[in-house]
Amino acid sequence: MLESNPMAKQRVCNHCNQPITGSYLTALDADWHPEHFCCAICNKPVTEPKFYAHEGQPCHPACYEATLAKRCTVCDKPLTGKYQVNYWGETTCVGHDKQYASCAYCGRIVPQVTKRTRRREIEDISCAVCETTAINTVAQANYLLPHGIAWLEAQGLKLRAKSFKIEVLDRADFMARNVGKRDPLGLTMSKRYMRNNKLDRVELESVALLKGLPQALFEGVCVHELGHVWLLQHKIVNLPPIDEEGFCELLAHRHYTAVGTQSAKFYAERIEKNPDPIYGAGFRKLKK
C-alpha cells in the first residue's frame, strides 16, 4: 500500500537514509522519498498501488513476474499466487495435476498426456527425467544384476546360484503371464517338483522385470525379486504371501535407504506408505 502525506514530520528515507522534509511514501514497513521508491529490477519509480516486494525492495509486477517469480515447470507461467510443490521441489500451477497425467514412477506431471487418455495408455507413462535412466533391455538388466546380488549377499543372504535367466518385458507381455501371484513391477517364475506328495525340489525359471523402470526403481525391484530367488533356492516356499512379499519389500526398502539418493528415498517412502494389504502391510509387519 502506498501512502503520501505532505504534512509529515521529519522521517528518514529507506533508500538514501536522508531526512524527508516533504511528501513521503510509507510502504514495506518503511518511509521513502517518492522518487526513491523504485523498482529493484528496472530502477524506475513504482507509482501503481500494486507491487511485489523482493528483499525489502519494491518491484513492478511485470518486472517481478519476468525475472524473479517462480515459474510453473509445466506451462512456464509466473507463479504469483497459490501454487503446488511436488516431492522433487518442482512448482506448478494449481490444477495441472488434475489436467495432466502423472509419471507412473516418480509422480511428476507429464504435460504431453492429459487425464482424458485411456488408462491402459498411461499406465506406464514416464516423465522425461525417468526416461533418461530407463532400463529397457536385457543387456542393461544383466549389467545391473551383479550389483544387486552383491548388495544382497552383503546382508548375509548368500545365493546358491547367481546365474539365471533375466527378462525385460513390456506391460502386455508381463501381464500375459498366467500366474496367481504377481508383483506389478517384477516377477519370479519357478517350477516345483513333488515326490510322494512332498516338495522334492524347486527350479527357478526366470526373473522378469517391467520394461522402462528408471534405474533407481529398477535396482530396488531387482533386490525385491532377488529376495524371492533366495527363498526359492533355500526351499522356503510355503510362507504366507504377506510374509514373503513383506520380506522382499523389506529388502528393497533397506536397499533404497542404503543408497540414500533423493530418488531412492522417494521409493523407500512409497514402500512405507503403500496401503496394499500384502505388500505394504507385509513390509510393516516384517519391519516391526
Side-chain angles (χ1 to χ4, degrees):
M1 178 180 181
L2 303 182
E3 298 178 3
S4 61
N5 185 351
M7 303 301 292
K9 296 179 181 179
Q10 187 177 58
R11 298 170 182 267
V12 175
C13 176
N14 190 57
H15 175 76
C16 66
N17 293 319
Q18 296 300 310
I20 300 174
T21 58
S23 298
Y24 68 92
L25 302 176
T26 297
L28 303 177
D29 298 321
D31 299 317
W32 313 72
H33 287 117
E35 64 273 19
H36 289 162
F37 192 68
C38 297
C39 176
I41 307 301
C42 69
N43 292 320
K44 295 180 180 179
V46 176
T47 58
E48 55 267 59
K50 180 182 177 181
F51 59 88
Y52 291 107
H54 175 66
E55 297 180 351
Q57 300 296 312
C59 297
H60 292 120
C63 293
Y64 181 86
E65 292 173 6
T67 61
L68 294 175
K70 293 180 181 294
R71 307 195 79 81
C72 175
T73 57
V74 173
C75 65
D76 199 42
K77 291 182 179 179
L79 300 169
T80 58
K82 292 182 179 180
Y83 58 87
Q84 295 175 319
V85 183
N86 66 13
Y87 179 91
W88 313 99
E90 298 171 343
T91 53
T92 59
C93 297
V94 174
H96 279 337
D97 57 327
K98 296 179 175 61
Q99 181 181 7
Y100 299 110
S102 297
C103 176
Y105 309 119
C106 71
R108 291 181 175 92
I109 291 174
V110 183
Q112 297 85 355
V113 184
T114 69
K115 285 275 180 86
R116 294 181 179 179
T117 306
R118 289 177 296 180
R119 179 170 180 173
R120 68 173 179 269
E121 295 178 9
I122 65 174
E123 194 168 25
D124 297 317
I125 194 70
S126 182
C127 70
V129 175
C130 289
E131 284 180 352
T132 60
T133 64
I135 306 303
N136 294 312
T137 68
V138 172
Q140 291 174 303
N142 279 322
Y143 175 78
L144 294 172
L145 181 64
H147 300 283
I149 293 175
W151 183 88
L152 187 77
E153 296 198 327
Q155 314 310 303
L157 302 178
K158 303 295 183 180
L159 293 181
R160 291 178 174 173
K162 301 179 184 180
S163 178
F164 41 83
K165 183 180 179 181
I166 295 293
E167 299 178 274
V168 177
L169 306 177
D170 61 25
R171 175 67 66 175
D173 289 339
F174 195 90
M175 300 307 288
R177 297 297 176 92
N178 186 22
V179 293
K181 294 180 292 185
R182 178 164 45 212
D183 182 337
L185 303 178
L187 173 66
T188 298
M189 300 287 292
S190 64
K191 281 186 179 180
R192 301 184 184 189
Y193 296 88
M194 309 297 292
R195 177 179 293 180
N196 299 326
N197 295 322
K198 292 183 179 180
L199 181 66
D200 180 57
R201 62 189 175 91
V202 179
E203 183 179 297
L204 176 65
E205 292 187 308
S206 69
V207 171
L209 298 144
L210 185 64
K211 181 180 179 179
L213 299 181
Q215 183 174 334
L217 176 58
F218 177 92
E219 290 174 352
V221 175
C222 186
V223 167
H224 176 110
E225 297 307 321
L226 288 173
H228 287 298
V229 171
W230 183 85
L231 291 171
L232 286 171
Q233 289 184 356
H234 290 78
K235 294 186 179 180
I236 306 173
V237 294
N238 292 317
L239 290 176
I242 190 172
D243 292 335
E244 180 168 348
E245 298 301 345
F247 169 75
C248 295
E249 283 291 84
L250 180 61
L251 290 175
H253 183 270
R254 286 188 174 182
H255 177 270
Y256 290 134
T257 302
V259 172
T261 61
Q262 187 180 20
S263 294
K265 291 177 181 178
F266 173 81
Y267 295 122
E269 289 182 19
R270 193 159 73 171
I271 290 175
E272 294 167 6
K273 298 175 182 178
N274 188 352
D276 187 270
I278 299 296
Y279 291 87
F283 161 75
R284 288 183 285 275
K285 176 184 177 183
L286 269 291
K287 185 173 185 295
K288 184 178 179 180

